[in-house]
Amino acid sequence: GEDVEQSLFLSVREGDSSVINCTYTDSSSTYLYWYKQEPGAGLQLLTYIFSNMDMKQDQRLTVLLNKKDKHLSLRIADTQTGDSAIYFCAEAASSGGYQKVTFGTGTKLQVIP
Amino acid sequence: DADVTQTPRNRITKTGKRIMLECSQTKGHDRMYWYRQDPGLGLRLIYYSFDVKDINKGEISDGYSVSRQAQAKFSLSLESAIPNQTALYFCATSDIGGLGVSTDTQYFGPGTRLTVL
């Protein structure tokens, strides 16, 4: 079945770049996503990438996709204390006639001032 | 106003009690989902519904039931709560794009923290 894995914790200093990594197993994924969960809140979509793309950039965010290795990463440039949150990787893959979305375990990003 | 709302936001109950968690949305989306979040396990899908007449089990549906009362409302019930159902529960919605192609972006409610003693 589908499996999406992430490391549980990452700590960076304010101003440095953060790189959050994710691996997935389903080779038929159509979209891959990064969601952000701030304390006490639900998940919010940060960005997504279509599976036929290698890279997507959106302001401070860069998403890299290596389909061969089934590896997705999120780079946050100039990390700020407001970026402290849990980041979830997710993939959408066709399953029984619809797109099933599977979420990873989440990576807690701690930004040290 | 929030597009996806959940009530209650916090609930403490005892083993064996019946609990209902409610979700409402104003996004006009057909698809709705219930997830639970546990530390280190991420989000796991409990039930999902593609329209009022289409309800499906997710990966961890045992001990739960749902009702889709209208396009905008999707409730989750725990018929007889047990302590290992203590978790953070999220409702989410998503939509189909105009040409039947969807990015399946999900829009989440703020969550309900449920504690079963």
Side-chain angles (χ1 to χ4, degrees):
Chain A
E2 305 85 0
D3 194 18
V4 180
E5 295 191 354
Q6 307 175 234
S7 54
L8 290 180
F9 190 76
L10 176 66
S11 180
V12 299
R13 294 207 171 272
E14 189 175 17
D16 288 350
S17 292
S18 308
V19 179
I20 302 172
N21 295 300
C22 169
T23 57
Y24 60 96
T25 57
D26 196 322
S27 56
S28 65
S29 20
T30 50
Y31 292 94
L32 294 115
Y33 315 83
W34 284 104
Y35 284 83
K36 178 182 181 183
Q37 183 185 27
E38 296 186 357
L43 282 70
Q44 284 193 303
L45 182 71
L46 267 183
T47 186
Y48 68 88
I49 187 168
F50 192 43
S51 59
N52 67 357
M53 297 170 64
D54 299 323
M55 184 180 87
K56 181 177 181 181
Q57 188 147 6
D58 183 2
Q59 299 182 342
R60 291 190 298 121
L61 306 179
T62 303
V63 178
L64 295 177
L65 174 60
N66 181 329
K67 280 198 77 173
K68 176 175 170 289
D69 294 338
K70 298 189 182 70
H71 182 267
L72 183 74
S73 67
L74 174 70
R75 178 176 180 270
I76 306 173
D78 186 25
T79 312
Q80 303 297 307
T81 54
D83 295 323
S84 292
I86 301 176
Y87 291 81
F88 288 89
C89 169
E91 66 160 345
S94 296
S95 174
Y98 88 104
Q99 279 196 137
K100 178 180 176 183
V101 178
T102 303
F103 287 84
T105 52
T107 298
K108 185 171 185 178
L109 175 65
Q110 179 189 46
V111 182
I112 303 167
Chain B
D1 287 341
D3 294 319
V4 184
T5 56
Q6 293 182 233
T7 55
R9 292 295 312 279
N10 287 283
R11 182 71 184 269
I12 300 173
T13 191
K14 293 183 179 178
T15 297
K17 294 290 188 182
R18 184 177 187 274
I19 296 297
M20 180 181 285
L21 309 183
E22 299 191 6
C23 176
S24 294
Q25 54 118 344
T26 57
K27 298 190 76 67
H29 288 170
D30 285 326
R31 297 181 171 185
M32 297 187 75
Y33 310 80
W34 276 105
Y35 293 91
R36 66 177 278 177
Q37 182 181 16
D38 298 277
L41 295 178
L43 275 85
R44 292 182 291 168
L45 183 64
I46 306 172
Y47 270 94
Y48 60 99
S49 171
F50 283 173
D51 65 38
V52 175
K53 297 178 182 176
D54 181 16
I55 294 178
N56 305 278
K57 292 181 177 181
E59 58 185 303
I60 54 160
S61 59
D62 287 349
Y64 301 95
S65 62
V66 291
S67 174
R68 185 82 184 264
Q69 300 95 324
Q71 189 208 35
K73 295 184 183 296
F74 193 35
S75 58
L76 176 72
S77 293
L78 288 68
E79 296 302 325
S80 179
I82 55 176
N84 77 2
Q85 291 177 313
T86 293
L88 191 53
Y89 289 84
F90 287 102
C91 174
T93 72
S94 70
D95 200 13
I96 292 288
L99 296 175
V101 176
S102 170
T103 63
D104 246 331
T105 297
Q106 301 204 3
Y107 298 86
F108 285 81
T112 295
R113 186 167 294 282
L114 176 66
T115 303
V116 183
L117 301 175

